[in-house]
Amino acid sequence: MGKRVGIEVSIAAADAVAMADVDVVAAYPITPQTHIVEHLSELVAEGELTAEFIPVESEHSAMSVCCGSSAAGARTFTCTSSQGLALMNEILFIVPSMRLPVVMILANRSLSGPLSIWNDHTDVMSVRDCGWVQLFVENGQEVFDHVLFAFRVAEARSVSLPVMINMDGFILTHVIEPISYWDKEAVERYLPAFEPVNRLDPDHPMTMGAFAMPGIYTEARKVQNDALIAAMPELIEAWEKMGELTGRCYRPVERYAVEGAETVFITMGSIGETVSIAVDRLRGQGRAVGLVKLRLWRPFPFDALREALKGVRRIIVIDRAISFGGPGGPVASEIRSALYGVEPRPEVLNMISGLAGRDVTPEDYIAMYETAMAAEQWKPEDYVVFGARE
Amino acid sequence: MVESERDLRCGDLEVGCVVSQPGNARFYRTGDWRSFRPVVDRAKCIGCGVCYLLCPDMAIRRRADGTFEADLYYCKGCGICAAECFTGCIQMVPEEE
Ligand code: SF4
Ligand code: SF4
């Protein structure tokens, strides 16, 4: 394995993209993602990375360029946050429908308004149904590993879909962490050359992104959905292969102290580490509590989730976005749906917390646990906007 | 070779729905969109071909007798041919008639 360094996670993420020998980077700077593309532009300017760095005038153009370059057979990367994601929305949905393996880091930040630059998951939840493989990482090492993972999975000929890595803004992008780099040989073994399924080629003309009449649109959408679901074995294999190479094992659903747990937290992203501290303390007091972390959001890991929650009576889902006028948070709503047919069906309480960078400490999670345990009867629609001063 | 996109099944679609078969837009039954159809009074048609030239969908074909008529598989019923015909021999007739 390569060197282990203390480094800002954004810089390490950019280094991982460079190690993947990316061909095209098209991006527009937006806080808190800026350091990633800024460092990539430096690597290109200094000749350390041979790639086209395309400084576009907006995120709509960034994703459009990515769409074109990936269609031409170039390994393609972009990165954005919040409003930038909102601006690229139109093209975001087209990339997977064309089965183009673009890789994007989304440095998660709250959506306006009120205007905020801080971290939560309101940006990614606004594009839940865009058709990308979507995963969440917990720390800097996971970011580095998953850049290489994302290219491998996206470009696998059986998958050929874009992959979005969700990385908490500031909490991960702007901190310095110890990160084990991969050496060149490991990257070469893990990530084969990009052999696109379709490529724009004057010698073999084809139409990409064509119009579809009502007589075929339904079939096109079903095929796209099937392809995303069918990506699961490739995702698992890519994680297993990484485990062999690096000793770090990842799964679609991660468990922490779930042995004998009656109550579990469910988290996504960097807060998993904070909740694990709360779980350790509660376990120290003899409380039967554990933690389940959703790493993979799309395709949704139904089987792995049900397996991880076997025997659990109560679930506290931490959501970092609100589905306005709906069932509380989007994650809890999907967990409830996934568990609807499970007998006996666990109770689900939804805690919406940590919006726009509001600090949530282990003590807060312990308080959420106490609130949950004190609730006499949970109703399926229950949710709490934790910490809101009323 | 399919006759219409309605004959295609999920398994027939290429990855990313790319179209690698050239010229298959001709299977689009754009005639479905029509609410008026052009009817030619063949006795008056002088075979000048103006309708043929000006139809935006290239939906007009020449018959063996030298007159021209719309191919209703494609004709969208825009009425341009009727408006441009010198002899006024094309009438737009509502589809329900
Ligand atoms: S009505 Fe329009 S589409 Fe139909 S034949 Fe005439 S010009 Fe062409
Ligand atoms: S424009 Fe009128 S007269 Fe000329 S070919 Fe067409 S239908 Fe006949």
Side-chain angles (χ1 to χ4, degrees):
Chain A
M1 274 288 110
K3 58 186 178 174
R4 185 169 154 87
V5 285
I7 192 163
E8 187 187 300
V9 175
S10 283
I11 307 301
D15 284 341
V17 173
M19 287 195 83
D21 198 19
V22 70
D23 299 311
V24 173
V25 178
Y28 189 83
I30 182 169
T31 302
Q33 147 274 29
T34 313
H35 292 184
I36 298 173
V37 286
E38 198 174 62
H39 187 55
L40 278 165
S41 74
E42 282 166 2
L43 292 173
V44 172
E46 287 162 11
E48 285 177 44
L49 169 64
T50 309
E52 284 293 328
F53 186 94
I54 305 176
V56 287
E57 84 291 356
S58 78
E59 286 83 357
H60 188 276
S61 300
M63 194 46 78
S64 300
V65 166
C66 289
C67 198
S69 69
S70 187
R75 181 169 283 169
T76 303
F77 175 82
T78 189
C79 191
T80 196
S81 291
S82 178
Q83 305 309 118
L85 181 76
L87 189 50
M88 61 171 60
N89 185 288
E90 183 184 358
I91 322 299
L92 204 66
F93 285 69
I94 297 172
V95 175
S97 83
M98 291 170 68
R99 304 284 300 275
L100 299 173
V102 175
V103 169
M104 173 163 74
I105 290 182
L106 181 64
N108 300 116
R109 157 184 155 181
S110 40
L111 275 178
S112 260
L115 176 60
S116 157
I117 58 165
W118 289 277
N119 162 246
D120 63 29
H121 294 166
T122 53
D123 55 1
V124 56
M125 290 305 158
S126 76
V127 297
R128 185 190 62 177
D129 298 329
C130 66
W132 288 51
V133 173
Q134 295 175 50
L135 47 96
F136 284 77
V137 293
E138 195 170 310
N139 56 45
Q141 185 67 56
E142 294 191 5
V143 174
F144 192 96
D145 293 344
H146 282 87
V147 167
L148 300 162
F149 171 86
F151 282 112
R152 179 183 159 117
V153 171
E155 293 171 5
R157 291 173 67 87
S158 62
V159 177
S160 196
L161 280 167
V163 176
M164 183 191 298
I165 303 165
N166 286 280
M167 161 190 195
D168 285 316
F170 292 112
I171 295 171
L172 290 184
T173 54
H174 285 55
V175 295
I176 292 169
E177 288 193 15
I179 293 176
S180 293
Y181 274 45
W182 295 30
D183 59 30
K184 213 167 166 289
E185 196 215 325
V187 175
E188 274 163 16
R189 277 175 61 195
Y190 188 70
L191 184 60
F194 178 26
E195 293 288 344
V197 178
N198 296 311
R199 186 202 296 264
L200 285 176
D201 177 356
D203 293 331
H204 300 98
M206 63 170 67
T207 304
M208 289 186 177
F211 155 90
M213 295 277 270
I216 196 64
Y217 185 91
T218 305
E219 285 71 19
R221 290 308 236 185
K222 180 173 189 301
V223 166
Q224 189 188 329
N225 186 43
D226 292 347
L228 185 54
I229 293 166
M232 191 65 92
E234 186 61 44
L235 286 153
I236 309 267
E237 201 204 305
W239 272 318
E240 281 170 359
K241 187 90 206 302
M242 196 196 303
E244 288 165 25
L245 267 174
T246 68
R248 287 182 294 278
C249 296
Y250 300 111
R251 290 166 206 86
V253 175
E254 306 283 356
R255 312 175 211 204
Y256 183 83
V258 288
E259 213 49 44
E262 288 182 5
T263 304
V264 298
F265 285 94
I266 294 188
T267 63
M268 291 205 302
S270 63
I271 61 161
E273 294 199 342
T274 321
V275 175
S276 71
I277 297 168
V279 165
D280 286 346
R281 289 194 197 153
L282 286 164
R283 280 277 180 175
Q285 299 165 16
R287 321 292 287 268
V289 58
L291 166 62
V292 166
K293 297 182 273 195
L294 260 189
R295 175 180 306 288
L296 189 61
W297 178 234
R298 285 293 184 279
F300 193 87
F302 289 100
D303 292 340
L305 182 83
R306 288 180 193 129
E307 180 62 32
L309 295 173
K310 232 177 210 156
V312 168
R313 289 177 47 205
R314 274 174 238 93
I315 301 168
I316 305 167
V317 181
I318 312 294
D319 253 296
R320 308 202 52 218
I322 299 181
S323 170
F324 293 121
V331 182
S333 138
E334 302 225 353
I335 303 276
R336 287 191 192 106
S337 163
L339 299 177
Y340 188 75
V342 172
E343 286 292 337
R345 192 188 308 151
E347 296 174 318
V348 176
L349 186 70
N350 186 197
M351 293 285 183
I352 293 166
S353 71
L355 296 185
R358 176 79 67 92
D359 210 14
V360 188
T361 63
E363 289 71 30
D364 290 323
Y365 291 112
I366 290 170
M368 287 183 209
Y369 172 79
E370 303 293 358
T371 310
M373 298 308 282
E376 280 195 358
Q377 207 189 357
W378 292 8
K379 293 190 263 356
E381 67 275 24
D382 277 351
Y383 64 92
V384 176
V385 182
F386 184 83
R389 296 176 299 274
E390 292 191 64
Chain B
M1 196 67 105
V2 296
E3 285 301 306
S4 155
E5 82 280 3
R6 280 179 243 164
D7 299 329
L8 291 171
R9 293 167 180 277
C10 288
D12 298 323
L13 292 170
E14 294 185 53
V15 173
C17 295
V18 299
V19 182
S20 59
Q21 179 193 81
N24 70 357
R26 69 178 181 277
F27 299 123
Y28 278 146
R29 198 186 298 267
T30 48
D32 278 8
W33 308 3
R34 191 178 58 242
S35 48
F36 286 86
R37 69 175 182 280
V39 175
V40 182
D41 179 349
R42 254 180 267 296
K44 278 207 245 165
C45 172
I46 56 170
C48 68
V50 160
C51 54
Y52 169 84
L53 287 173
L54 296 178
C55 169
D57 283 297
M58 297 197 296
I60 292 183
R61 60 185 173 212
R62 189 170 186 270
R63 289 161 46 97
D65 65 4
T67 62
F68 287 78
E69 71 178 0
D71 179 343
L72 296 178
Y73 187 93
Y74 300 114
C75 166
K76 294 177 190 165
C78 68
I80 289 176
C81 52
E84 299 297 334
C85 170
F86 290 125
T87 64
C89 74
I90 304 178
Q91 252 206 316
M92 298 304 289
V93 179
E95 276 298 332
E96 54 272 23
E97 278 174 24

